[in-house]
Amino acid sequence: MSDNVPVIDEGLTGARPARHILVLPDRDAAEEVAEALPGRFGITQEPQLVRDALAGEDDAEDAQWLVVVEDPAGGLDPTALDALADEYDGWLEAE
């Protein structure tokens, strides 16, 4: 094994650490999704909210909000996360 290749401990499940990015249409939706995540998915780390201005837009109203969820155990279901975002007119960004 090369010394330049990072070793990822996949444990017994084969799951890999992941970062999930949910894209929401506005801050209110992003905050509601962030509040729903612990109850629905059992996450303990607080999600990060990030404002993402749309390319070429200067107006603050033309912004999406990202909810960034760290998943160190790799156990969160991307399909379920996408369904949650969809409830708020958003989606799960594919990495």
Side-chain angles (χ1 to χ4, degrees), residues 17 39 54 58 62 68:
L54 298 175
D58 294 329
D62 293 325
V68 181

Side-chain angles (χ1 to χ4, degrees), residues 1-93:
M1 182 184 305
S2 169
D3 291 334
N4 295 335
V5 177
V7 175
I8 299 174
D9 181 8
E10 296 179 16
L12 298 175
T13 64
R16 293 175 174 243
R19 173 179 289 147
H20 305 281
I21 301 172
L22 290 77
V23 182
L24 286 304
D26 56 49
R27 183 179 186 136
D28 289 340
E31 288 176 345
E32 288 181 35
V33 167
E35 289 175 11
L37 284 165
R40 287 177 79 166
F41 294 94
I43 66 167
T44 56
Q45 185 176 353
E46 186 172 338
Q48 180 182 5
L49 298 178
V50 180
R51 182 182 174 274
D52 184 37
L54 298 175
E57 297 294 334
D58 294 329
D59 188 353
E61 295 296 318
D62 293 325
Q64 297 171 331
W65 281 81
L66 309 178
V67 177
V68 181
V69 181
E70 297 296 336
D71 184 10
L76 294 177
D77 178 7
T79 303
L81 289 169
D82 188 45
L84 172 61
D86 186 56
E87 292 175 25
Y88 294 88
D89 297 322
W91 65 90
L92 176 66
E93 186 69 25

